[in-house]
Amino acid sequence: LSMCSKLCYAIGGAPNQVAGSAASFFLQIYLLDIAHITPFHASLVLFIGKASGAVTDPVAGFFISKSRWTKIGRLMPWVLACTPFTIVSYFFMWYLPPFLSGRLAWYLTFHCLFQALTTLFQVPYSALTMFLSTDQKDRDSATAYRMTMEVLGTLIGAALQGQIVASAHVSPHCTVNPSLNTTDSWHDTPSIPDPSDPLSHQAKVYMIAAGVIAGVYLLGIVVLFLGVKERDDPYALNSDRAIPFCKGLALTMKHGPYVKLTASFLLISTAVQLEQGNFVLFCTHAAGLRNHFQYLVVTILVSAVVSVPFWQKFLQRFGKKRAACGISWMIPFAVMLVTIPNLILAYFVAFISGLSIAASLLLPWSMLPDVVDNFRLQNPHGKGHETIFYSSYVFFTKMSAGIGLGISAAGLEFTGYKPGICRQSDDVILTLKLLIGAVPAILILLGLFVLIFYPITEESRKETKLALEELR
């Protein structure tokens, strides 16, 4: 597999991460402080949107598994067809409608559409890994290219969004030292006026950011289409039949390595989503870093980008299960940031968190092809199961992330979060600290504990490779 093909494949997945990163870091604070919907309604938007994307995963897997081969492949037509609709839904997800009463329905509709459409892109795109090459090293290398570019896309999305919209969240009034202010008005004075007008400055900067990121989609999809050639199933015989979707789903749910891998990274990805979804809120309201959040986000993602090649070398030399230990590095430093909110410490925590996030992004997508190969060896005369594995994996991780984000936003509602004010109550600050520190730490430790029982080792991978070559 040529370097050019790997690079084009990697660039094709970057736009989804650019948009997803902007939404992960900024959608919750946008809904609360710009759109001025209640935290409970924001939790509904976040949870139902993620759930709609999750439900779309098995549906997409069902239809894609029944797709016929075309001149450009079986998966590529799906990637191309959903992109224009994804761009439109993404833009309107950041548009501030002039009415107040229907904003919940507006954001719920377009967030659900965006999540569903990105699923229709992500399932065939991620399954495409299995149809680039038959060689495990080639696929691992392509996955490393993809993860590097996707983390870079995450960086670009957060950096673009952060730099463009930063002025929408900065108020000179909130820079007053609260210890010198003895009145209660500092708590209740809105730092951001209600931007009911879609032409307000706050609304404009968010629409500009949405337009810029929507343009990135077009560039990525053109590069993917021109630079990647999809290959037909290299192990399939003419006599082989596609596994029916429901039967294939039942078989995957009984496949031990897949269940353990999914359960582990379901917990870990939920922890990462909680960190992303609440980090800007934490910096703004709990850590006194209102004017630094965009730079901290960039630090996290730069660290993640530069560390992906390191993790790729590490897992090649020491194995994939050992590389998973790097995910736990963020725990002690995140706890320190929560207990000692210091600017220098915050940047150090951001750097370490980036290392851990890179490992959490690279490993599941590097390990999933091994699980698919293992399943293929046990079911040698079936085909079309790749999309079932990828769609159901994304289903579980999205659903868990949606539940986590929904519960976190509902927790802010319960503790009395007030949109647009300079300082939140002590209960809200405590909730944000728990959502950044304790809760992700527990989820990561549970996920790593489950991963201990993951049975595929480096030795078994080599045995599976030899057996599949013999089968071929």
Side-chain angles (χ1 to χ4, degrees), residues 97-127:
F99 45 83
L100 293 172
S101 57
R103 285 185 184 178
L104 171 62
W106 177 276
Y107 291 114
L108 194 57
T109 299
F110 284 105
H111 190 220
C112 287
L113 278 173
F114 174 71
Q115 291 293 338
L117 288 164
T118 53
T119 295
L120 289 175
F121 177 94
Q122 191 67 25
V123 170
Y125 172 77
S126 55

Short mmCIF file of all heavy atoms in Angstrom, two decimals, residues 97-127:
data_model
loop_
_atom_site.label_atom_id
_atom_site.label_comp_id
_atom_site.label_asym_id
_atom_site.label_seq_id
_atom_site.Cartn_x
_atom_site.Cartn_y
_atom_site.Cartn_z
N PRO A 97 -31.66 30.74 15.34
CA PRO A 97 -32.93 31.17 14.76
C PRO A 97 -33.48 32.39 15.48
O PRO A 97 -33.21 32.59 16.68
CB PRO A 97 -33.84 29.95 14.95
CG PRO A 97 -33.25 29.22 16.11
CD PRO A 97 -31.77 29.45 16.05
N PRO A 98 -34.25 33.24 14.79
CA PRO A 98 -34.74 34.49 15.39
C PRO A 98 -35.83 34.27 16.45
O PRO A 98 -36.16 35.19 17.19
CB PRO A 98 -35.29 35.27 14.20
CG PRO A 98 -35.60 34.23 13.17
CD PRO A 98 -34.61 33.14 13.37
N PHE A 99 -36.39 33.08 16.51
CA PHE A 99 -37.44 32.80 17.50
C PHE A 99 -36.83 32.13 18.73
O PHE A 99 -35.79 31.49 18.66
CB PHE A 99 -38.52 31.91 16.89
CG PHE A 99 -37.98 30.74 16.11
CD1 PHE A 99 -37.59 29.56 16.73
CD2 PHE A 99 -37.85 30.82 14.72
CE1 PHE A 99 -37.08 28.49 16.01
CE2 PHE A 99 -37.34 29.76 13.99
CZ PHE A 99 -36.96 28.59 14.64
N LEU A 100 -37.50 32.29 19.87
CA LEU A 100 -37.01 31.74 21.13
C LEU A 100 -37.69 30.43 21.49
O LEU A 100 -37.05 29.50 21.98
CB LEU A 100 -37.21 32.75 22.27
CG LEU A 100 -36.38 34.04 22.20
CD1 LEU A 100 -36.82 35.02 23.27
CD2 LEU A 100 -34.90 33.73 22.35
N SER A 101 -39.01 30.36 21.26
CA SER A 101 -39.77 29.23 21.77
C SER A 101 -39.43 27.91 21.06
O SER A 101 -39.57 26.84 21.65
CB SER A 101 -41.28 29.50 21.62
OG SER A 101 -41.60 29.76 20.26
N GLY A 102 -38.99 27.98 19.81
CA GLY A 102 -38.72 26.75 19.06
C GLY A 102 -37.27 26.37 18.96
O GLY A 102 -36.92 25.50 18.14
N ARG A 103 -36.40 27.00 19.76
CA ARG A 103 -34.96 26.71 19.63
C ARG A 103 -34.62 25.27 20.00
O ARG A 103 -33.74 24.66 19.39
CB ARG A 103 -34.14 27.68 20.47
CG ARG A 103 -34.06 29.07 19.86
CD ARG A 103 -33.15 29.99 20.64
NE ARG A 103 -33.17 31.33 20.07
CZ ARG A 103 -32.51 32.37 20.57
NH1 ARG A 103 -31.78 32.21 21.66
NH2 ARG A 103 -32.57 33.55 19.99
N LEU A 104 -35.31 24.72 20.99
CA LEU A 104 -35.04 23.33 21.37
C LEU A 104 -35.28 22.41 20.18
O LEU A 104 -34.45 21.56 19.86
CB LEU A 104 -35.92 22.93 22.55
CG LEU A 104 -35.88 21.43 22.91
CD1 LEU A 104 -34.48 21.01 23.32
CD2 LEU A 104 -36.88 21.12 24.03
N ALA A 105 -36.44 22.57 19.51
CA ALA A 105 -36.77 21.72 18.37
C ALA A 105 -35.76 21.93 17.23
O ALA A 105 -35.36 20.98 16.55
CB ALA A 105 -38.19 22.02 17.89
N TRP A 106 -35.33 23.18 17.03
CA TRP A 106 -34.38 23.50 15.95
C TRP A 106 -33.06 22.76 16.16
O TRP A 106 -32.58 22.04 15.27
CB TRP A 106 -34.15 25.01 15.92
CG TRP A 106 -33.13 25.46 14.91
CD1 TRP A 106 -31.78 25.49 15.06
CD2 TRP A 106 -33.39 25.93 13.57
NE1 TRP A 106 -31.16 25.97 13.93
CE2 TRP A 106 -32.14 26.24 12.99
CE3 TRP A 106 -34.54 26.13 12.83
CZ2 TRP A 106 -32.01 26.73 11.70
CZ3 TRP A 106 -34.42 26.62 11.53
CH2 TRP A 106 -33.18 26.92 10.99
N TYR A 107 -32.47 22.93 17.35
CA TYR A 107 -31.16 22.32 17.59
C TYR A 107 -31.26 20.81 17.70
O TYR A 107 -30.34 20.09 17.31
CB TYR A 107 -30.53 22.93 18.84
CG TYR A 107 -30.13 24.37 18.63
CD1 TYR A 107 -30.76 25.40 19.34
CD2 TYR A 107 -29.15 24.71 17.71
CE1 TYR A 107 -30.41 26.73 19.12
CE2 TYR A 107 -28.80 26.03 17.48
CZ TYR A 107 -29.43 27.04 18.20
OH TYR A 107 -29.09 28.33 17.97
N LEU A 108 -32.37 20.32 18.22
CA LEU A 108 -32.56 18.88 18.31
C LEU A 108 -32.62 18.26 16.92
O LEU A 108 -31.98 17.24 16.64
CB LEU A 108 -33.85 18.58 19.07
CG LEU A 108 -34.07 17.15 19.56
CD1 LEU A 108 -32.92 16.71 20.46
CD2 LEU A 108 -35.39 17.06 20.32
N THR A 109 -33.36 18.93 16.01
CA THR A 109 -33.50 18.42 14.64
C THR A 109 -32.16 18.36 13.92
O THR A 109 -31.77 17.32 13.37
CB THR A 109 -34.48 19.31 13.85
OG1 THR A 109 -35.76 19.27 14.47
CG2 THR A 109 -34.60 18.82 12.40
N PHE A 110 -31.43 19.47 13.94
CA PHE A 110 -30.20 19.51 13.14
C PHE A 110 -29.05 18.75 13.80
O PHE A 110 -28.19 18.22 13.10
CB PHE A 110 -29.82 20.96 12.85
CG PHE A 110 -30.69 21.58 11.78
CD1 PHE A 110 -31.68 22.50 12.11
CD2 PHE A 110 -30.54 21.22 10.46
CE1 PHE A 110 -32.48 23.04 11.13
CE2 PHE A 110 -31.34 21.76 9.46
CZ PHE A 110 -32.32 22.68 9.80
N HIS A 111 -29.04 18.68 15.13
CA HIS A 111 -28.02 17.86 15.78
C HIS A 111 -28.25 16.39 15.48
O HIS A 111 -27.30 15.63 15.21
CB HIS A 111 -28.02 18.11 17.29
CG HIS A 111 -26.85 17.48 17.99
ND1 HIS A 111 -26.95 16.86 19.21
CD2 HIS A 111 -25.54 17.36 17.63
CE1 HIS A 111 -25.76 16.40 19.57
NE2 HIS A 111 -24.90 16.70 18.63
N CYS A 112 -29.52 15.95 15.50
CA CYS A 112 -29.83 14.56 15.17
C CYS A 112 -29.47 14.25 13.72
O CYS A 112 -28.90 13.19 13.42
CB CYS A 112 -31.32 14.28 15.41
SG CYS A 112 -31.78 14.19 17.16
N LEU A 113 -29.81 15.17 12.82
CA LEU A 113 -29.46 14.97 11.41
C LEU A 113 -27.95 14.87 11.22
O LEU A 113 -27.45 14.00 10.50
CB LEU A 113 -30.02 16.12 10.56
CG LEU A 113 -31.49 16.04 10.16
CD1 LEU A 113 -31.90 17.33 9.47
CD2 LEU A 113 -31.73 14.84 9.24
N PHE A 114 -27.23 15.78 11.86
CA PHE A 114 -25.77 15.78 11.72
C PHE A 114 -25.17 14.47 12.24
O PHE A 114 -24.32 13.87 11.58
CB PHE A 114 -25.17 16.97 12.46
CG PHE A 114 -23.67 16.97 12.50
CD1 PHE A 114 -22.93 17.22 11.35
CD2 PHE A 114 -22.99 16.71 13.68
CE1 PHE A 114 -21.55 17.19 11.37
CE2 PHE A 114 -21.61 16.69 13.71
CZ PHE A 114 -20.88 16.94 12.56
N GLN A 115 -25.61 14.03 13.42
CA GLN A 115 -25.07 12.80 13.98
C GLN A 115 -25.40 11.59 13.11
O GLN A 115 -24.56 10.70 12.90
CB GLN A 115 -25.62 12.59 15.40
CG GLN A 115 -25.11 13.58 16.42
CD GLN A 115 -23.63 13.42 16.70
OE1 GLN A 115 -23.04 12.37 16.47
NE2 GLN A 115 -23.00 14.47 17.21
N ALA A 116 -26.63 11.55 12.58
CA ALA A 116 -27.02 10.42 11.73
C ALA A 116 -26.21 10.41 10.43
O ALA A 116 -25.75 9.36 9.97
CB ALA A 116 -28.51 10.49 11.42
N LEU A 117 -26.01 11.59 9.84
CA LEU A 117 -25.29 11.66 8.58
C LEU A 117 -23.80 11.37 8.75
O LEU A 117 -23.17 10.75 7.89
CB LEU A 117 -25.50 13.04 7.94
CG LEU A 117 -26.91 13.27 7.38
CD1 LEU A 117 -27.15 14.76 7.13
CD2 LEU A 117 -27.12 12.47 6.10
N THR A 118 -23.21 11.84 9.86
CA THR A 118 -21.80 11.50 10.08
C THR A 118 -21.62 10.00 10.29
O THR A 118 -20.58 9.44 9.95
CB THR A 118 -21.24 12.26 11.30
OG1 THR A 118 -22.07 12.04 12.44
CG2 THR A 118 -21.13 13.73 11.03
N THR A 119 -22.65 9.35 10.84
CA THR A 119 -22.60 7.90 10.97
C THR A 119 -22.59 7.23 9.61
O THR A 119 -21.83 6.29 9.36
CB THR A 119 -23.81 7.40 11.78
OG1 THR A 119 -23.71 7.90 13.12
CG2 THR A 119 -23.86 5.89 11.82
N LEU A 120 -23.44 7.72 8.69
CA LEU A 120 -23.47 7.16 7.34
C LEU A 120 -22.14 7.36 6.62
O LEU A 120 -21.82 6.64 5.69
CB LEU A 120 -24.60 7.81 6.53
CG LEU A 120 -26.02 7.42 6.93
CD1 LEU A 120 -27.04 8.22 6.13
CD2 LEU A 120 -26.25 5.92 6.73
N PHE A 121 -21.37 8.36 7.06
CA PHE A 121 -20.02 8.55 6.53
C PHE A 121 -19.02 7.66 7.25
O PHE A 121 -18.19 6.99 6.62
CB PHE A 121 -19.62 10.02 6.69
CG PHE A 121 -18.21 10.33 6.24
CD1 PHE A 121 -17.96 10.80 4.97
CD2 PHE A 121 -17.13 10.14 7.10
CE1 PHE A 121 -16.67 11.09 4.55
CE2 PHE A 121 -15.84 10.42 6.70
CZ PHE A 121 -15.61 10.90 5.42
N GLN A 122 -19.09 7.63 8.58
CA GLN A 122 -18.05 7.00 9.38
C GLN A 122 -18.05 5.48 9.25
O GLN A 122 -16.98 4.86 9.22
CB GLN A 122 -18.22 7.39 10.86
CG GLN A 122 -17.04 7.01 11.75
CD GLN A 122 -15.78 7.80 11.40
OE1 GLN A 122 -15.85 8.89 10.86
NE2 GLN A 122 -14.62 7.23 11.70
N VAL A 123 -19.22 4.86 9.18
CA VAL A 123 -19.27 3.40 9.11
C VAL A 123 -18.58 2.87 7.85
O VAL A 123 -17.67 2.04 7.94
CB VAL A 123 -20.72 2.89 9.22
CG1 VAL A 123 -20.79 1.40 8.90
CG2 VAL A 123 -21.27 3.14 10.62
N PRO A 124 -18.96 3.32 6.64
CA PRO A 124 -18.23 2.81 5.46
C PRO A 124 -16.79 3.27 5.41
O PRO A 124 -15.91 2.52 4.95
CB PRO A 124 -19.04 3.36 4.28
CG PRO A 124 -19.79 4.52 4.82
CD PRO A 124 -20.08 4.19 6.26
N TYR A 125 -16.52 4.49 5.90
CA TYR A 125 -15.13 4.97 5.86
C TYR A 125 -14.23 4.13 6.75
O TYR A 125 -13.13 3.74 6.34
CB TYR A 125 -15.09 6.44 6.29
CG TYR A 125 -13.67 6.95 6.46
CD1 TYR A 125 -12.89 7.27 5.36
CD2 TYR A 125 -13.10 7.07 7.73
CE1 TYR A 125 -11.58 7.71 5.51
CE2 TYR A 125 -11.80 7.51 7.89
CZ TYR A 125 -11.05 7.83 6.78
OH TYR A 125 -9.75 8.25 6.94
N SER A 126 -14.65 3.86 7.97
CA SER A 126 -13.81 3.07 8.89
C SER A 126 -13.70 1.62 8.42
O SER A 126 -12.63 1.00 8.53
CB SER A 126 -14.35 3.14 10.31
OG SER A 126 -15.71 2.74 10.36
N ALA A 127 -14.80 1.05 7.88
CA ALA A 127 -14.74 -0.32 7.37
C ALA A 127 -13.84 -0.42 6.14
O ALA A 127 -13.34 -1.51 5.82
CB ALA A 127 -16.14 -0.82 7.03
#
